[in-house]
Amino acid sequence: MAATTNKQLISWIDESAKLTQPDSVIWINGGEAQLAELRKQSVASGELIPLNQEKLPGCYLHRSAQNDVARVEDRTFICCPEEKDAGPTNNWKAPAEMRAQLETIFSGSMKGRVMYVIPYSMGPVGSPFAKYGIELTDSIYVVLSMAIMTRVGNSVLNAIGDTGDFIKGLHSKAELDPEKRYIAHFPQDNTIWSVNSGYGGNVLLGKKCFALRIASTLGRDENWMAEHMLILGIEAPNGEKRYIAAAFPSACGKTNLAMLIPPKVYADKGYKVWTVGDDIAWLRPGNDGRLYAVNPEYGFFGVAPGTNAKSNPNALASTARNTIFTNVVQNLDDNTVWWEGLDKNPPENALDWTGKPWNGKTAATVGAHPNSRFTAPAINCPCISDEFENPAGVPIDAIVFGGRRAKTAPLVYQSRDWAHGVFVGSIMGSETTAAATGAVGVVRRDPMAMLPFCGYNMGDYWQHWLDMEKSLTNPPKIFNVNWFRLDDEGHFIWPGFGDNFRVLEWMLRRVRNEAEANETALGYLPKPEDINLEDFEIDLAALTDLLSIDNALWKEEAKGIREFYGKFGAALPAKLAEQLETLENAL
Ligand code: OXD
Ligand code: MN
């Protein structure tokens, strides 16, 4: 039964049911009894496998279809009326054309299944940051995952009331046919259609589809920002807390940074790190001219491989209960889970991510899919911030951009001002192949780590970033980091992980005007002696190397940036073209 009389909502659901023809419609109320019943059903159907309830209470394993294990960027579309508004970095199709095509695929796609109606909130319900969505889905896995990743249920229906102020998401796993798989966004109608996938990033519509692609367009229209950023808090020994938001492309250690444990020398002094978010930040100017952030999500959808008690004990602890694991190894001896990089003791009596017998001691192939995941409640995280549920968000003092660069980018630099910081974010990129060989690899530009997630023309998005400065009398300082510099033998110079705290600490000293810097063509670089090397394996000479800038490489880099900018034509903001010229002249 619908717990709402909202006519727009009910008529849209009727229309969607007419199209997809489910056997019945069930509203998700957010109560534990209903979720428990759904878990029971999904265990009976094999969609979820209960794990050892003593060791992993409330935890389940899910195996996705083998052809459906990641986001599908080539099948993800922005369907705004004009192609130029989607820009050169998005796939575009005219809304009417995409609707017609997908209506055929959705037609009857829920026959023999239930359509679940999930009211969900991105951000604490009632917060000035919060936005609401309704996802219609024929997948219990989606319902149970959404109940971890977002706030779901009747409180959201109450918050929506009789308004039309909600994002309409329609998802059907249909036949999981990869040839008919589409993730389509209709920003003009606040609508998302996702079909023929069961993979989280494609089907948990609150996450990438709403909280980034649709929300970025809402932010443009309403003077706020939806960003692919973690949010962390640093508590100083005197109790003062400062907040940093950071954007990195995939595979740059974002979750690890969000949950970092400071080195012993800092911990002993009383420094602490608190996690507000690991993936997405919604940022709004406050009345005091500062930028405030909330994490719109309620859980972590983290990559499992490589997560272990050393690399990220907080993430590991987050998965200890009420977690759904997807595509990891099932250890049959004690019915727990395993993945590459968890420990050096792979199970011998196990099933791999496809469900086939697998012996970790002798197998020639990996057991867990490289993109296997955990869907874990954020409140499980031992270092979750007290401010996680704060409806007003946290004030951001520093924004950090970063990528994986073998030689080009120094360990850290600070932008000269906001506009220069936007430039620094716009030229972000990562080298995918360089780490193994030590050669400078091919750069994939990923501005603000938003390449696959910006819901409109990236050039207009940069202009929106530039325009936000007008609402900020006290904007965050903007930095760039590179934890991945290689020496001539191809080894990482910087140890990373907890020691990244040393760099964050310098940033906060810059924020408080307590640290010096050298002015360079790139911006402000630390004086090597200003990075705390106490109780550290890196010495001043190595640090000096990490902070060096190779002019010849940067001249090449500037050429690459010019080529990339060229794609945007008239949409490239004049201020960014000027920033590029300033850089070229300074080199
Ligand atoms: C993610 C991603 O899954 O950025 O968070 O791809
Ligand atoms: Mn992400």
Side-chain angles (χ1 to χ4, degrees), residues 208 228 254 279 453:
K208 303 301 191 183
H228 191 201
K254 197 164 152 200
D279 195 40
F453 306 121

mmCIF file with all atom_site columns, all heavy atoms in Angstrom, residues 208 228 254 279 453, ligand 2:
data_model
loop_
_atom_site.group_PDB
_atom_site.id
_atom_site.type_symbol
_atom_site.label_atom_id
_atom_site.label_alt_id
_atom_site.label_comp_id
_atom_site.label_asym_id
_atom_site.label_entity_id
_atom_site.label_seq_id
_atom_site.pdbx_PDB_ins_code
_atom_site.Cartn_x
_atom_site.Cartn_y
_atom_site.Cartn_z
_atom_site.occupancy
_atom_site.B_iso_or_equiv
_atom_site.pdbx_formal_charge
_atom_site.auth_seq_id
_atom_site.auth_comp_id
_atom_site.auth_asym_id
_atom_site.auth_atom_id
_atom_site.pdbx_PDB_model_num
ATOM   1  N  N   . LYS A 1 208 ? 25.822 7.177  -8.583  1.00 0.00 ? 208 LYS A N   1
ATOM   2  C  CA  . LYS A 1 208 ? 26.438 7.934  -9.679  1.00 0.00 ? 208 LYS A CA  1
ATOM   3  C  C   . LYS A 1 208 ? 25.377 8.647  -10.516 1.00 0.00 ? 208 LYS A C   1
ATOM   4  O  O   . LYS A 1 208 ? 25.587 9.781  -10.964 1.00 0.00 ? 208 LYS A O   1
ATOM   5  C  CB  . LYS A 1 208 ? 27.260 7.005  -10.570 1.00 0.00 ? 208 LYS A CB  1
ATOM   6  C  CG  . LYS A 1 208 ? 28.350 6.216  -9.843  1.00 0.00 ? 208 LYS A CG  1
ATOM   7  C  CD  . LYS A 1 208 ? 29.346 7.094  -9.165  1.00 0.00 ? 208 LYS A CD  1
ATOM   8  C  CE  . LYS A 1 208 ? 30.549 6.282  -8.678  1.00 0.00 ? 208 LYS A CE  1
ATOM   9  N  NZ  . LYS A 1 208 ? 31.496 7.121  -7.938  1.00 0.00 ? 208 LYS A NZ  1
ATOM   10 N  N   . HIS A 1 228 ? 32.563 14.398 -7.120  1.00 0.00 ? 228 HIS A N   1
ATOM   11 C  CA  . HIS A 1 228 ? 33.053 13.034 -6.892  1.00 0.00 ? 228 HIS A CA  1
ATOM   12 C  C   . HIS A 1 228 ? 34.188 13.111 -5.875  1.00 0.00 ? 228 HIS A C   1
ATOM   13 O  O   . HIS A 1 228 ? 35.362 12.925 -6.223  1.00 0.00 ? 228 HIS A O   1
ATOM   14 C  CB  . HIS A 1 228 ? 33.525 12.475 -8.234  1.00 0.00 ? 228 HIS A CB  1
ATOM   15 C  CG  . HIS A 1 228 ? 33.804 11.008 -8.237  1.00 0.00 ? 228 HIS A CG  1
ATOM   16 N  ND1 . HIS A 1 228 ? 34.614 10.421 -9.184  1.00 0.00 ? 228 HIS A ND1 1
ATOM   17 C  CD2 . HIS A 1 228 ? 33.391 10.006 -7.439  1.00 0.00 ? 228 HIS A CD2 1
ATOM   18 C  CE1 . HIS A 1 228 ? 34.677 9.119  -8.963  1.00 0.00 ? 228 HIS A CE1 1
ATOM   19 N  NE2 . HIS A 1 228 ? 33.955 8.845  -7.909  1.00 0.00 ? 228 HIS A NE2 1
ATOM   20 N  N   . LYS A 1 254 ? 41.240 6.502  -3.013  1.00 0.00 ? 254 LYS A N   1
ATOM   21 C  CA  . LYS A 1 254 ? 40.300 7.469  -2.435  1.00 0.00 ? 254 LYS A CA  1
ATOM   22 C  C   . LYS A 1 254 ? 39.717 6.979  -1.102  1.00 0.00 ? 254 LYS A C   1
ATOM   23 O  O   . LYS A 1 254 ? 39.679 7.719  -0.121  1.00 0.00 ? 254 LYS A O   1
ATOM   24 C  CB  . LYS A 1 254 ? 39.188 7.673  -3.462  1.00 0.00 ? 254 LYS A CB  1
ATOM   25 C  CG  . LYS A 1 254 ? 38.355 8.883  -3.247  1.00 0.00 ? 254 LYS A CG  1
ATOM   26 C  CD  . LYS A 1 254 ? 37.580 9.166  -4.530  1.00 0.00 ? 254 LYS A CD  1
ATOM   27 C  CE  . LYS A 1 254 ? 36.300 9.881  -4.213  1.00 0.00 ? 254 LYS A CE  1
ATOM   28 N  NZ  . LYS A 1 254 ? 35.324 9.759  -5.292  1.00 0.00 ? 254 LYS A NZ  1
ATOM   29 N  N   . ASP A 1 279 ? 33.068 9.013  -1.250  1.00 0.00 ? 279 ASP A N   1
ATOM   30 C  CA  . ASP A 1 279 ? 32.914 9.006  -2.710  1.00 0.00 ? 279 ASP A CA  1
ATOM   31 C  C   . ASP A 1 279 ? 32.275 10.277 -3.276  1.00 0.00 ? 279 ASP A C   1
ATOM   32 O  O   . ASP A 1 279 ? 32.674 10.724 -4.340  1.00 0.00 ? 279 ASP A O   1
ATOM   33 C  CB  . ASP A 1 279 ? 32.088 7.785  -3.133  1.00 0.00 ? 279 ASP A CB  1
ATOM   34 C  CG  . ASP A 1 279 ? 32.168 7.490  -4.627  1.00 0.00 ? 279 ASP A CG  1
ATOM   35 O  OD1 . ASP A 1 279 ? 33.269 7.617  -5.201  1.00 0.00 ? 279 ASP A OD1 1
ATOM   36 O  OD2 . ASP A 1 279 ? 31.142 7.130  -5.229  1.00 0.00 ? 279 ASP A OD2 1
ATOM   37 N  N   . PHE A 1 453 ? 30.934 11.289 -14.903 1.00 0.00 ? 453 PHE A N   1
ATOM   38 C  CA  . PHE A 1 453 ? 29.839 11.603 -13.974 1.00 0.00 ? 453 PHE A CA  1
ATOM   39 C  C   . PHE A 1 453 ? 29.241 12.991 -14.131 1.00 0.00 ? 453 PHE A C   1
ATOM   40 O  O   . PHE A 1 453 ? 28.296 13.340 -13.420 1.00 0.00 ? 453 PHE A O   1
ATOM   41 C  CB  . PHE A 1 453 ? 30.331 11.435 -12.528 1.00 0.00 ? 453 PHE A CB  1
ATOM   42 C  CG  . PHE A 1 453 ? 30.926 10.082 -12.251 1.00 0.00 ? 453 PHE A CG  1
ATOM   43 C  CD1 . PHE A 1 453 ? 32.242 9.943  -11.816 1.00 0.00 ? 453 PHE A CD1 1
ATOM   44 C  CD2 . PHE A 1 453 ? 30.175 8.935  -12.452 1.00 0.00 ? 453 PHE A CD2 1
ATOM   45 C  CE1 . PHE A 1 453 ? 32.795 8.698  -11.572 1.00 0.00 ? 453 PHE A CE1 1
ATOM   46 C  CE2 . PHE A 1 453 ? 30.720 7.673  -12.218 1.00 0.00 ? 453 PHE A CE2 1
ATOM   47 C  CZ  . PHE A 1 453 ? 32.038 7.552  -11.775 1.00 0.00 ? 453 PHE A CZ  1
HETATM 48 MN MN  . MN  B 2 .   ? 33.504 6.840  -7.213  1.00 0.00 ? 2   MN  B MN  1
#
